[in-house]
Amino acid sequence: MSITAKAGPAIPAGPAHPLSQRRPLGDRGFQILALSAGLLVLVILVLIAVSMTSQSTTWFTTEGWSGVFSTDWDPAHNIYGAVPFIYGTLITSAIAIIIAFPVSVGIALLLTEVVPRRWSRPIVYVIDLLAVVPSVVWGLWGILILAPWLQSIYQSIASGLTGVPVLSTFFGGQGISGASFFTAGLILAVMITPIVTSLSREVIATVPVIDREGAYALGATRWEMIQGAVWPHSQSGIVGAVLLGLGRAMGETIAVALVIGSSPTITTHLFTTGYSMPSVIANQFGEATVGVFRAALIGMGVLLFVLTIIINLSARAIVGRSVRRAGGE
Amino acid sequence: MMAITTDQQTVDLREPGGWRRTKNQLATVGMWVAFVVMLVPLGFVLVTVVSKGASAISWQFLTNGTLPVNVLPVNYGGMGAAVLGTLEITGFAALMAIPLGVLGGIYINEYGGNHVLARVINFFADVMTGVPSIIMGLFIFTIWVLHFGYSGLAGSFALGCLMLPIVIRSTYEMLKLVPDSLREASYALGATKSRVTVTVTLPAAIGGIVSGSLLAVARAAGETAPLLFTILTVTSTNTNLFSGANTALSAQIFANATQPYTGAQARAWGAALTLIAIAFILMIVARLVTARFARYSE
Amino acid sequence: MEQEEQKVTSKLQVPETTAKPAEAFGTPADTIFDAKNVSIYYGSFRAVTDVSLSIYPNEITAFIGPSGCGKTTVLRTLNRMNDLIASARVEGDVHYRGASLYAKNVSATAVRRRIGMVFQKPNPFPKSIYENVAYGPRINGIRGKHRLDEIVERSLRQAALWDEVKDRMNKSGLGLSGGQAQRLCIARTLAVEPDVVLMDEPCSALDPIATGRIEDLMQEIKSQYTIVIVTHNMQQATRVSDRTAFFSVLRDEKPGKSDTRTGVLVEYGATQQIFEDPHDSRTQAYVTGRMG
């Protein structure tokens, strides 16, 4: 080993050199820059609320609360009631989570409990593929391929169920259409599955290994272990994940706009045409040059914004609490 | 049921039979069914888009800048205007959202510590990822388009708002994974905090940050709703991002999907295939980046 | 509790408190560090109490003692690394070449450029070997490829790593074995030509052969640097150090409170004396193996 003699320090440490230095301008500046970027999030959210609300006030002032929440929507006669769209949004989202919940949780459990690590990657890739298909492509396929094909199926179901008490209110009726609440709900279910699945996986992963092993040590089968060890721990987290999926489903615009049928009706018949909040905004904004019409559409945007924020807040709070609780044990 | 062991009897260690076993098997089958249920629509969509779209795609389709009237069949004109629009509008949105998003993630993880402000920003960035994209479009409409008119730029703003929280979240998650020992080593050599962050922490997390950003770009490229209120879909090429209405693949697909003409529909399928191809390429590149940097960092 | 050691007393006037701006300028001294009545707190918990000692130039000083008695905490006080912990607070004086380290206008960054640190677990950057060593000089403003090449080679030679890595300078620093990685970290620290090198149990994650090489390294660079090393290994302290400081914990009056062990300096002197003729009974108990 050879040592090269020290040629003298590059930064003299001797008496003349001060240890003091003002904090470099660049260092401070960088911090301010980073802070501003972070603040942008809050600024944008506040601006969204403020600017959209101010653009929609004429809706509230002209229609009044009873008008805003009426069940009639007739722009030709200046009637702008939001209820049909709120209804449509809720119904399609409900259908979506009823279908997506078991499917997503099933896939999540498949990945965490059944499939060995090495093989889980391809399955995760497939889920990512599902997530990357743009909404408008789902809508295109939905309206041109799925809806026509489903129409005949719906028709047979509806005629088969004539007279049956409970089922025919949902799955019966006249005016059966491929483009309907149900089709929209189906497509929404497919679209929200990736996010509900991946969040559920995260939640299930926080179940302590000792609890799983404890169940197995008692001679439980895998399903019994899931029921006894996994489910109690992940329950609230999965509820949070489903809520997030609900938020996504409610805000989904384009796919729903294409397959829901674009008719503001309130009915329990799921195989008939309907409308949803984001869909009507997307479809009719181009024609909404009159003040109150446009204000009404923007106002529904505000309603949608508030609704999704509330749902997201609750969902994140629930998921966060469940993950933290598991981590702290 | 396991048999009781005694000296004379043998031990029965078979799988518990009966209802318990059946339930377990049913459950496993159910989970696989769930997976297949998800595969079916995915497969259908991809097969349809590829088969119907492939016949529409040609060099002319991708580059010709004039969008034909809906009645005309598919070999007239092309989607060049929309392709350019998608690339320009999404590209500019990424140019704005990615640096800002990375900086925001840096603030939360490196500077925020336990401050209330950092936790608030973190929480609301999370919430913001769940704001529907149509809201971003309406927002930019009220705040920009009403004053400055439709333009590709407005579309970029809307897509940027969409991407910002996604990039912040993924940057934050990646920075969290960088071990403190690396930062300490850098501090110990006399680096300032900004130096440590930019020269050690950020490079250590760069793989995940790039891949997260690419996925955000893929998502933005496919969005339609934010563009409806900001670019006002037109039919000719507008290379000027900053003024005048513009068009994009997603908007074109939306406009064509409701047309009864086969030409228009064929163009929609072609555009859909193009859009999916762009999104897939971005996704694959993101995966490759993650894989390459994973090897380098551990 | 306090031990009076002849060699420890500073011969210099200790400059006054933090009010004067001239504080940050140093004057030549016989000692590199002077710590006087230093106590370190994390929030309200007193981790170390009333430590006074001096570190002398071109010597290797070892801090030994059982776990949890504040050796690392005191070490990190010497290069302001405790600043990185939000709740940490230092009371008392720490002077480096006569200048107060904790005066108001002292820049921690400037301190760390003169007082380097090698950590317990090797922590090379996920960059190439070359870039690892060049990092320090670069952030100190040294450009010029030629100059950097010189510095990198010199530092790696000093760390006894040059021959092993000279053909793979562009490979990742993460691909090295434990011992090599730690020598890389030492080279990285030496590249900025610090005045002092602090080492926090640098060999505890390494095998005996790698440990031996690093101990040889320390002896070789001693003539150019001042080294302070925290070690759990008493044999290591006897092998390499000139002076040894033995730390232990205050006997806690309240039983049952497990986290209130406050560290204290028990005895400090020439290594030979500490191990062969300890003055304090606790020192004797530790070095003869009777205490943890």
Side-chain angles (χ1 to χ4, degrees):
Chain A
M1 288 180 299
S2 64
I3 309 237
T4 324
K6 194 161 137 174
I11 311 118
H17 204 82
L19 278 182
S20 74
Q21 243 170 267
R22 262 180 306 115
R23 182 156 168 213
L25 208 58
D27 194 43
R28 197 104 183 100
F30 186 76
Q31 179 170 1
I32 294 177
L33 194 62
L35 174 62
S36 318
L39 283 175
L40 200 56
V41 166
L42 301 178
V43 166
I44 291 179
L45 283 175
V46 166
L47 277 180
I48 291 179
V50 165
S51 70
M52 282 177 55
T53 312
S54 70
Q55 287 291 328
S56 57
T57 43
T58 49
W59 183 37
F60 295 100
T61 50
T62 320
E63 301 276 321
W65 286 106
S66 56
V68 162
F69 288 107
S70 86
T71 56
D72 291 309
W73 176 266
D74 190 0
H77 297 101
N78 283 328
I79 299 178
Y80 304 106
V83 174
F85 311 103
I86 300 177
Y87 176 77
T89 300
L90 293 176
I91 286 284
T92 51
S93 311
I95 297 173
I97 55 176
I98 290 174
I99 299 176
F101 168 61
V103 171
S104 305
V105 175
I107 298 176
L109 285 172
L110 189 72
L111 284 169
T112 56
E113 312 298 333
V114 177
V115 174
R117 264 304 178 79
R118 254 180 319 130
W119 297 110
S120 68
R121 277 235 247 124
I123 298 183
V124 174
Y125 281 3
V126 170
I127 299 178
D128 287 343
L129 271 186
L130 196 65
V132 104
V133 175
S135 155
V136 70
V137 174
W138 284 118
L140 179 71
W141 174 72
I143 189 64
L144 291 183
I145 309 281
L146 186 65
W149 180 65
L150 282 177
Q151 174 134 357
S152 43
I153 297 184
Y154 290 163
Q155 196 64 63
S156 356
I157 297 181
S159 32
L161 286 175
T162 38
V164 180
V166 172
L167 288 174
S168 65
T169 45
F170 291 114
F171 303 110
Q174 309 294 328
I176 304 290
S177 160
S180 61
F181 289 112
F182 197 77
T183 314
L186 273 178
I187 295 210
L188 280 178
V190 171
M191 292 177 72
I192 67 175
T193 298
I195 186 173
V196 181
T197 305
S198 81
L199 270 169
S200 301
R201 274 180 75 205
E202 263 181 47
V203 169
I204 294 175
T206 64
V207 173
V209 177
I210 24 171
D211 286 40
R212 291 171 200 260
E213 292 188 339
Y216 278 133
L218 290 167
T221 60
R222 180 167 54 218
W223 178 240
E224 287 162 353
M225 185 279 293
I226 293 176
Q227 283 178 302
V230 171
W231 182 241
H233 275 291
S234 0
Q235 215 169 294
S236 52
I238 291 184
V239 166
V242 169
L243 270 182
L244 267 168
L246 176 66
R248 272 298 291 276
M250 291 178 63
E252 180 45 56
T253 311
I254 295 296
V256 175
L258 287 171
V259 304
I260 198 171
S262 306
S263 142
T265 29
I266 303 179
T267 166
T268 54
H269 297 305
L270 300 175
F271 292 155
T272 55
T273 55
Y275 230 148
S276 79
M277 282 192 279
S279 313
V280 68
I281 303 174
N283 278 335
Q284 301 203 346
F285 204 77
E287 295 143 31
T289 42
V290 176
V292 187
F293 194 0
R294 177 178 281 178
L297 290 177
I298 297 182
M300 267 197 285
V302 173
L303 277 175
L304 187 63
F305 181 59
V306 170
L307 265 174
T308 50
I309 293 255
I310 294 177
I311 291 184
N312 269 290
L313 278 174
S314 342
R316 294 284 174 185
I318 295 177
V319 173
R321 190 158 44 98
S322 122
V323 169
R324 253 179 292 125
R325 209 190 306 135
E329 276 170 27
Chain B
M1 288 286 288
M2 305 239 207
I4 315 159
T5 56
T6 65
D7 290 321
Q8 280 88 14
Q9 290 175 305
T10 50
V11 176
D12 183 358
L13 292 177
R14 284 174 305 175
E15 192 77 44
W19 181 225
R20 279 177 72 197
R21 181 150 155 257
T22 318
K23 255 204 307 188
N24 191 40
Q25 289 172 328
L26 274 179
T28 311
V29 166
M31 294 184 232
W32 281 108
V33 164
F35 178 56
V36 169
V37 161
M38 184 203 69
L39 274 184
V40 166
L42 177 65
F44 255 126
V45 151
L46 291 180
V47 164
T48 315
V49 168
V50 169
S51 60
K52 286 190 182 286
S55 49
I57 299 252
S58 65
W59 185 248
Q60 180 199 344
F61 179 80
L62 290 174
T63 54
N64 188 307
T66 315
L67 283 153
V69 182
N70 285 320
V71 196
L72 289 174
V74 82
N75 43 352
Y76 286 79
M79 282 274 169
V83 172
L84 187 65
T86 294
L87 293 175
E88 270 187 339
I89 297 171
T90 314
F92 196 72
L95 211 61
M96 292 188 287
I98 293 179
L100 286 172
V102 171
L103 280 170
I106 286 177
Y107 169 72
I108 297 174
N109 197 54
E110 307 295 319
Y111 288 92
N114 268 322
H115 292 149
V116 175
L117 184 60
R119 276 184 289 162
V120 165
I121 291 180
N122 197 7
F123 188 69
F124 279 103
D126 226 355
V127 167
M128 196 172 163
T129 60
V131 172
S133 59
I134 188 174
I135 304 286
M136 300 305 183
L138 279 176
F139 165 55
I140 298 293
F141 177 81
T142 58
I143 210 178
W144 180 271
V145 176
L146 281 182
H147 306 296
F148 301 105
Y150 294 98
S151 62
L153 180 66
S156 295
F157 284 143
L159 290 183
C161 285
L162 192 66
M163 292 174 64
L164 181 68
I166 302 177
V167 178
I168 290 182
R169 293 294 301 161
S170 86
T171 302
Y172 163 75
E173 294 293 331
M174 288 300 131
L175 288 176
K176 251 201 320 187
L177 292 177
V178 176
D180 262 341
S181 59
L182 290 180
R183 295 183 183 84
E184 286 213 316
S186 180
Y187 277 119
L189 289 164
T192 53
K193 189 165 193 169
S194 57
R195 259 269 168 63
V196 173
T197 307
V198 170
T199 57
V200 171
T201 316
L202 199 57
I206 200 73
I209 293 177
V210 167
S211 121
S213 305
L214 284 176
L215 290 174
V217 174
R219 164 97 188 265
E223 283 287 341
T224 316
L227 300 179
L228 292 178
F229 311 95
T230 50
I231 67 172
L232 195 64
T233 318
V234 293
T235 52
S236 58
T237 315
N238 179 359
T239 48
N240 188 339
L241 182 66
F242 298 95
S243 90
N246 216 315
T247 184
L249 284 169
S250 50
Q252 283 304 136
I253 300 173
F254 185 58
N256 284 23
T258 45
Q259 297 294 328
Y261 308 106
T262 50
Q265 290 182 2
R267 274 186 285 278
W269 288 113
L273 181 57
T274 314
L275 195 56
I276 284 195
I278 293 178
F280 276 16
I281 290 174
L282 286 168
M283 193 180 87
I284 292 175
V285 173
R287 293 246 165 272
L288 288 175
V289 165
T290 311
R292 188 201 174 293
F293 277 89
R295 261 182 282 125
Y296 192 56
S297 69
E298 209 51 70
Chain C
M1 299 290 164
E2 287 129 7
Q3 294 292 320
E4 238 7 72
E5 268 301 311
Q6 306 90 311
K7 289 183 186 163
V8 169
T9 315
S10 167
K11 296 184 191 128
L12 271 200
Q13 294 267 21
V14 176
E16 270 162 40
T17 52
T18 60
K20 293 196 214 149
E23 263 304 286
F25 287 76
T27 50
D30 290 345
T31 56
I32 296 286
F33 285 109
D34 283 298
K36 283 227 166 329
N37 306 112
V38 172
S39 292
I40 303 162
Y41 295 81
Y42 291 122
S44 56
F45 165 55
R46 176 144 62 151
V48 169
T49 182
D50 209 25
V51 169
S52 299
L53 51 70
S54 295
I55 308 285
Y56 294 87
N58 300 118
E59 284 190 356
I60 300 179
T61 307
F63 289 177
I64 64 171
S67 340
C69 56
K71 315 188 288 292
T72 299
T73 308
V74 173
L75 188 78
R76 288 169 66 105
T77 308
L78 297 178
N79 68 344
R80 302 270 308 247
M81 282 300 273
N82 279 330
D83 287 13
L84 297 179
I85 301 170
S87 61
R89 197 174 85 241
V90 175
E91 283 182 1
D93 293 322
V94 183
H95 290 279
Y96 163 67
R97 290 187 179 276
S100 169
L101 278 185
Y102 285 86
K104 262 217 182 88
N105 56 347
V106 169
S107 147
T109 316
V111 168
R112 296 178 195 135
R113 283 177 192 172
R114 287 163 184 74
I115 304 169
M117 183 169 244
V118 176
F119 298 86
Q120 189 169 351
K121 192 164 167 290
N123 52 6
F125 299 134
K127 301 178 194 276
S128 69
I129 292 174
Y130 183 91
E131 282 303 323
N132 260 279
V133 185
Y135 180 80
R138 271 197 215 278
I139 63 174
N140 280 312
I142 297 180
R143 304 281 164 226
K145 182 162 179 351
H146 193 63
R147 184 101 179 78
L148 284 170
D149 287 351
E150 258 177 22
I151 296 178
V152 168
E153 178 174 341
R154 186 197 63 223
S155 311
L156 285 169
R157 282 190 192 279
Q158 281 189 311
L161 191 60
W162 174 251
D163 289 321
E164 287 167 67
V165 299
K166 64 177 186 257
D167 296 323
R168 43 179 176 132
M169 296 289 278
N170 287 321
K171 294 270 193 282
S172 167
L174 296 173
L176 299 173
S177 72
Q180 290 173 322
Q182 191 65 302
R183 274 178 284 148
L184 177 63
C185 293
I186 293 175
R188 182 174 67 185
T189 307
L190 296 181
V192 298
E193 293 177 270
D195 196 20
V196 179
V197 178
L198 306 176
M199 296 187 163
D200 185 5
E201 300 192 44
C203 304
S204 63
L206 306 178
D207 64 76
I209 296 181
T211 300
R213 294 179 89 168
I214 291 190
E215 289 179 6
D216 291 339
L217 180 56
M218 288 167 63
Q219 301 281 31
E220 281 178 16
I221 64 176
K222 192 166 89 167
S223 56
Q224 297 159 51
Y225 302 94
T226 303
I227 299 177
V228 183
I229 172 172
V230 167
T231 179
H232 260 137
N233 184 335
M234 285 191 283
Q235 286 73 33
Q236 181 170 77
T238 54
R239 282 194 296 267
V240 305
S241 69
D242 302 298
R243 261 177 245 265
T244 300
F246 170 61
F247 290 82
S248 185
V249 289
L250 274 178
R251 245 171 294 271
D252 199 6
E253 271 116 349
K254 282 198 175 153
K257 266 173 126 189
S258 62
D259 258 338
T260 54
R261 291 152 64 89
T262 305
V264 63
L265 172 63
V266 174
E267 190 174 345
Y268 178 46
T271 302
Q272 193 168 24
Q273 177 259 305
I274 292 284
F275 282 93
E276 290 177 10
D277 180 29
H279 294 166
D280 188 292
S281 58
R282 283 173 294 170
T283 317
Q284 184 173 41
Y286 183 73
V287 304
T288 55
R290 259 183 278 142
M291 197 217 315

